[in-house]
């Protein structure tokens, strides 16, 4: 099936600060009744239904005193920025995430986490496949659009298309991975994914990598390198 190019109206959703470097995660959906469970308990229940494993609540008790120090420690740990997209029942959904990481090369496996209380995260949790767009600095506007509540997404001024396999691809991103979930682990309010990368749709960056550090976006470039060029 050939890819189909589309435009769409603005999506909306609540802000959701991710753990770790604190990069914003945005739950988004197409307008339309029933497109995603509302934020809160209904969305969390929907995400729980697809979890392959749930961490016992007792393992996470009495850790409140660690939270602020944990957040402060990771605020100084830069993270790459990605947009994860999937096709929902009423249109494309997507969010910005700072938790994407490489788990294994052989076989190719990546990992990331979502806040399960968000409606769009529940839709992504149910998706049979999704695209992980690894962003460069020139994709800053996309990162903001998928991270800030009320920003327009998948509109006529944001080139995108449905792939033949059904996922919505953002055409302005050079590094895109198609993945299928291997395991979904429910841990407190988070849903932690391991996913197999089944296709690499682009692997060449279009500029300096985009990173998130102390709640600000940054670009890596040659001036930031500390080691001499190999």
């Amino acid at each position: 099936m050939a890819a189909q190019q589309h435009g769409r109206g603005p999506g909306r959703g609540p802000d959701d600060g991710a753990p770790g470097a604190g990069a914003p995660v945005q739950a988004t959906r197409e307008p339309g009744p029933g497109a995603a469970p509302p934020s809160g308990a209904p969305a969390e229940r929907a995400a729980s239904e697809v979890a392959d494993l749930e961490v016992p609540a007792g393992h996470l008790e009495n850790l409140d005193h660690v939270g602020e120090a944990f957040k402060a420690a990771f605020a100084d740990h830069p993270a790459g920025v990605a947009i994860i997209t999937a096709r929902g029942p009423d249109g494309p959904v997507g969010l910005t995430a700072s938790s994407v990481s490489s788990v294994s090369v052989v076989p190719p496996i990546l990992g990331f986490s979502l806040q399960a209380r968000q409606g769009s995260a529940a839709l992504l949790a149910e998706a049979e496949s999704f695209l992980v767009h690894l962003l460069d600095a020139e994709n800053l506007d996309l990162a903001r659009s998928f991270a800030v509540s009320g920003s327009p997404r998948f509109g006529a001024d944001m080139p995108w298309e449905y792939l033949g396999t059904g996922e919505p691809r953002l055409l302005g991103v050079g590094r895109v991975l198609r993945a299928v979930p291997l395991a979904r682990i429910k841990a407190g309010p988070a849903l932690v994914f391991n996913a197999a990368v089944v296709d690499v749709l682009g692997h060449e960056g279009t500029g300096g990598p985009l990173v998130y550090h102390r709640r600000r976006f940054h670009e890596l470039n040659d001036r930031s390198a500390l080691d001499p060029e190999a």
Side-chain angles (χ1 to χ4, degrees):
M1 182 187 300
Q4 303 171 3
Q5 194 154 340
H6 291 262
R8 63 114 178 123
R12 297 186 182 276
D15 290 330
D16 178 17
V25 175
Q26 172 64 36
T28 67
R29 66 181 177 99
E30 278 296 272
S39 298
E44 189 168 3
R45 282 197 298 270
S48 296
E49 290 175 359
V50 300
D52 302 298
L53 172 69
E54 184 162 359
V55 175
H59 290 21
L60 303 174
E61 291 178 350
N62 303 318
L63 295 177
D64 292 347
H65 67 287
V66 181
E68 287 304 314
F70 174 83
K71 184 177 179 180
F74 267 92
D76 275 324
H77 186 71
V81 183
I83 294 174
I84 304 170
T85 63
R87 187 168 191 164
D90 293 296
V93 294
L95 51 80
T96 298
S98 66
S99 58
V100 175
S101 62
S102 170
V103 174
S104 170
V105 175
V106 182
I109 297 173
L110 58 79
F112 62 91
S113 64
L114 303 174
Q115 291 297 302
R117 289 193 177 98
Q118 304 301 334
S120 207
L123 287 178
L124 282 169
E126 296 172 346
E128 295 182 357
S129 62
F130 39 79
L131 299 183
V132 178
H133 303 71
L134 303 177
L135 304 186
D136 292 320
E138 70 173 31
N139 304 130
L140 176 60
D141 288 343
L142 282 176
R144 287 172 171 163
S145 291
F146 282 86
V148 179
S149 178
S151 293
R153 305 168 190 90
F154 296 111
D157 59 345
M158 183 182 291
W160 68 282
E161 65 182 11
Y162 276 128
L163 300 182
T165 46
E167 307 87 359
R169 177 179 180 178
L170 303 170
L171 298 179
V173 180
R175 296 175 292 148
V176 183
L177 311 175
R178 180 172 176 264
V180 297
L182 297 174
R184 309 170 181 90
I185 303 170
K186 182 76 165 55
L191 197 63
V192 182
F193 287 72
N194 277 348
V197 176
V198 296
D199 198 5
V200 177
L201 306 176
H203 60 85
E204 295 292 339
T206 54
L210 184 66
V211 299
Y212 201 75
H213 178 246
R214 284 201 167 274
R215 304 192 67 80
R216 295 178 64 188
F217 291 108
H218 298 261
E219 176 186 4
L220 293 183
N221 53 46
D222 290 341
R223 289 178 296 174
S224 63
L226 300 179
D227 295 332
E229 187 175 354

